[in-house]
Amino acid sequence: MGSLTASPLVPSKLESSSLYQKQRSLFHYRRCPKKKNLSIVPVARLFGPAIFEASKLKVLFLGVDDRKHPGKLPRTYTLTHSDVTSKLTLAISQTINNSQLQGWYNRLQRDEVVAEWKKVKGKMSLHVHCHISGGHFLLDLCAKLRYYIFCKELPVVLGAVVHGDENLLNQHPELQEALVWVYFHSNLPEFNKVECWGALKHAAAPSSAGSRKGEEEVETGAPSTEQELPEACRVECECCFPPMSSIQWSEELPRQSGGGHGAQEGVGQQS
């Protein structure tokens, strides 16, 4: 009798143990892809193609006419990226949209890009600002990597501006020929510089990985190394607008001279 009562219990334990093992194996099997995905995403961001996807862009017009020429009304772009949804948000307004930059995560990452149109001595140009390092030590540790990522992703940023503000550019197609000046803000002299990326229509075009518009000859009649950062008149005039930069944090770094490869060391106060 004892053997008869014991025999059903053994398969039951084995079956339960077997089921437990299957559950464990399934549990581990399902988690592994998540870990792999987490490791793949940064690699794709660093080495994958920089391609603008219009479906991932959200555009906000805040107090500006979508066709008013920026030589008469201040026009500023604030672009942020969500690592959770992989979507971009572009705010078009007269000043930086500070509400986009709130929260500890944004202050930690500092991956926003802000830009503004400027008319200097009658010529329009787009001035783009990126924060490379400074503020906290984590940014300083990965300054070189951040500089590389910003350079690589800049065509995506400019593509978002061109697509999001297409009514303005269709109304004033000459703005596509305007030069793009990129200000890299850093507490490290190596990355604290200004680069000319050529005409907007070329700078916003998809580029190969590692390509730097600031180090190439652009189709503007002269190599980028011969371009000089435009400086506004020091007295009140009609050929420069706006009279003051709407990007106030661009004044944090002093102006210095020098630089090559289309770059000028230091970020000017009149950025």
Side-chain angles (χ1 to χ4, degrees):
M1 294 294 290
S3 61
L4 291 175
T5 56
S7 57
L9 295 176
V10 175
S12 176
K13 291 182 178 180
L14 290 175
E15 183 179 354
S16 176
S17 177
S18 176
L19 179 60
Y20 176 71
Q21 292 297 330
K22 288 181 180 179
Q23 290 176 340
R24 289 190 60 190
S25 64
L26 288 174
F27 179 72
H28 286 293
Y29 177 76
R30 289 172 181 167
R31 290 186 63 184
C32 286
K34 292 184 179 180
K35 291 183 178 180
K36 289 182 179 179
N37 287 341
L38 289 174
S39 63
I40 289 173
V41 170
V43 175
R45 183 178 177 83
L46 290 176
F47 302 108
I51 301 175
F52 168 67
E53 298 181 46
S55 61
K56 294 185 177 181
L57 177 66
K58 177 182 179 181
V59 182
L60 305 172
F61 284 91
L62 305 175
V64 294
D65 189 319
D66 62 349
R67 298 187 180 186
K68 186 74 173 181
H69 194 282
K72 300 178 180 179
L73 183 71
R75 203 175 193 86
T76 301
Y77 305 101
T78 307
L79 185 73
T80 53
H81 170 266
S82 171
D83 290 328
V84 177
T85 63
S86 297
K87 292 190 175 182
L88 300 170
T89 300
L90 175 68
I92 304 175
S93 55
Q94 294 188 33
T95 59
I96 295 177
N97 184 27
N98 288 315
S99 63
Q100 261 179 277
L101 311 178
Q102 300 301 317
W104 66 269
Y105 183 78
N106 288 325
R107 290 196 294 268
L108 178 67
Q109 290 282 87
R110 292 305 306 269
D111 58 357
E112 76 276 4
V113 177
V114 295
E116 67 176 339
W117 284 103
K118 296 188 71 175
K119 181 173 70 172
V120 181
K121 296 179 180 176
K123 291 185 178 181
M124 296 300 300
S125 53
L126 183 63
H127 298 251
V128 183
H129 297 263
C130 309
H131 186 89
I132 302 300
S133 63
H136 59 80
F137 75 97
L138 292 177
L139 298 181
D140 300 345
L141 290 176
C142 54
K144 186 174 183 178
L145 178 62
R146 286 174 59 83
Y147 176 74
Y148 169 79
I149 292 177
F150 273 116
C151 286
K152 179 180 175 297
E153 298 292 335
L154 199 58
V156 175
V157 172
L158 297 174
V161 170
V162 170
H163 180 81
D165 217 1
E166 60 181 345
N167 287 339
L168 172 73
L169 296 175
N170 290 336
Q171 187 74 15
H172 306 283
E174 71 277 4
L175 293 176
Q176 291 274 17
E177 303 292 339
L179 291 180
V180 177
W181 292 91
V182 185
Y183 298 69
F184 296 98
H185 296 263
S186 175
N187 58 345
L188 304 175
E190 179 183 359
F191 306 114
N192 187 45
K193 62 180 71 176
V194 184
E195 294 179 355
C196 178
W197 280 49
L200 175 60
K201 65 180 181 180
H202 300 307
S207 59
S208 58
S211 175
R212 289 267 307 285
K213 296 291 184 183
E215 295 180 354
E216 299 172 346
E217 291 190 4
V218 292
E219 299 177 23
T220 56
S224 60
T225 52
E226 297 182 4
Q227 300 293 340
E228 293 184 0
L229 182 66
E231 293 189 17
C233 298
R234 297 182 181 275
V235 295
E236 186 176 351
C237 65
E238 295 183 357
C239 63
C240 300
F241 184 85
M244 294 184 63
S245 173
S246 60
I247 303 177
Q248 297 301 320
W249 57 274
S250 65
E251 300 180 1
E252 296 174 0
L253 301 174
R255 176 181 295 279
Q256 298 175 6
S257 61
H261 298 291
Q264 299 184 29
E265 298 297 330
V267 177
Q269 292 184 356
Q270 299 296 325
S271 60

